[in-house]
Amino acid sequence: MEDSLPLLGALVALLVGLAVGKAWERYKLRDGRWIDRRRARDSHHYVLGLNFLVSNQIDLAIEELSQATRVDSDALEIHLILGNVHRERGQVARAIQVHQALLQRPKLTKVEHAYILLCLGLDFKRGGFVDRALEAFNEVVRMDPNNQYALLYLQKLHEEQHQWADAHRIRKQLVALSGPDTQPRNQAILGFLENALGSEALAVGDRGRAARHFEEAIDLDAGTAPAFLNLGDVRLMQGDVAGAENAWDRLMTSSPERAYLAFARLEKLYEQLAQPDKFEQRCLRLIAANSQDWRARLALGGHLAKRGRDLEAFEFLLAALEHNPHGLTVHQAVWGVLLKLDLGRALVQRYIESARSSVFFLDPHVCVKCHYRSTELLWQCPHCHEWNSFVEERIAPAQDATGEM
Ligand SMILES: [Zn+2]
């Protein structure tokens, strides 16, 4: 038994040492007082601050979080949050001040350093200091090459600056980091960036490079509709008529709902080639594939009217009206053809009947608070329960000449 006494003593000493160490970790001396390091996080100021933040009461959140930092000025995450809240409040100078002060702290871990820099970059971005924001995000990527947030912000900043090559390079880095489930979305974004690079090349007269970018955009994602239009335009500039026709035809096949974007180009092309029937064929093909396609009917109606086939045009336009009774351009086209046909009484009658059977403004009343729609004027919104919140929806004028509403 006596043999075990020294062992017991050593064990007790070890436990005491551990307890002191724990206490040291938890408490520290500041201004001659012992401060509980955990207090800041445990204080009701911190919890209240987070609650105010969640309920979007930003001023109260700032007040409580500031109180929490006074309990323990060392608590890094509370300062970080406080800085971010200042930024969201539009107090960018304060946010920058808070985050820059954190960067001066000794013994920051690499993760902490990178995160503070990221917040600082967002402050600069919000304040419109683009170069300093780019610098901060680039610094984060240097410290942590796989930081997807920093890469994403860098891409967006380059896009805003129309620096398409940089945006594209960074998107490629992001693609390499992301999983297979995000690849379709990635392909779509890369497609639009390639398309922008093509337009940039075209603006400086480099048609060959422009065409390659447009082709690449289409290869990446056939949903990049503008790339088909642009590729056709470049081919035509290069004197390659078949190439132009091919590009626009491919748009019709890959995205029939966007086919109408190529109508004016194709109609003009076939007119120049003295092959107007080809335009008619393409419209008919679209209508056969999608019976709802009012744009193809409108285009075909206009095309036939130009060629003097007014009665046929009238039938297509009336059918277009059935599928899109709200389309002012369709009504205009119908009246154009009716005038050409000397307002034939029977035809006008058919137009009036068709318009009458179409339901206009099915649900014109909209709740201004929650956007609930209703066919009749309601005094209390059934969705958000607001009183007297319905207004009648109006279509805004294309150009607001008077400025009054
Ligand atoms: Zn409502």
Side-chain angles (χ1 to χ4, degrees), residues 345-377:
R345 201 179 171 82
L347 295 174
V348 175
Q349 191 65 41
R350 278 186 60 204
Y351 165 65
I352 291 171
E353 273 161 22
S354 167
R356 190 185 293 143
S357 63
S358 310
V359 185
F360 285 82
F361 292 109
L362 192 65
D363 48 3
H365 297 95
V366 185
C367 170
V368 291
K369 201 177 167 204
C370 72
H371 302 293
Y372 181 88
R373 302 174 73 91
S374 160
T375 45
E376 51 181 333
L377 178 58

Side-chain angles (χ1 to χ4, degrees), residues 367 369-372 381 383-386 389:
C367 170
K369 201 177 167 204
C370 72
H371 302 293
Y372 181 88
C381 177
H383 184 248
C384 71
H385 306 294
E386 187 69 47
S389 61

Side-chain angles (χ1 to χ4, degrees), residues 174-196:
L174 274 168
V175 171
L177 291 174
S178 49
D181 52 321
T182 60
Q183 291 312 330
R185 178 84 193 119
N186 277 324
Q187 299 290 95
I189 293 169
L190 281 175
F192 275 95
L193 289 174
E194 283 286 352
N195 179 60

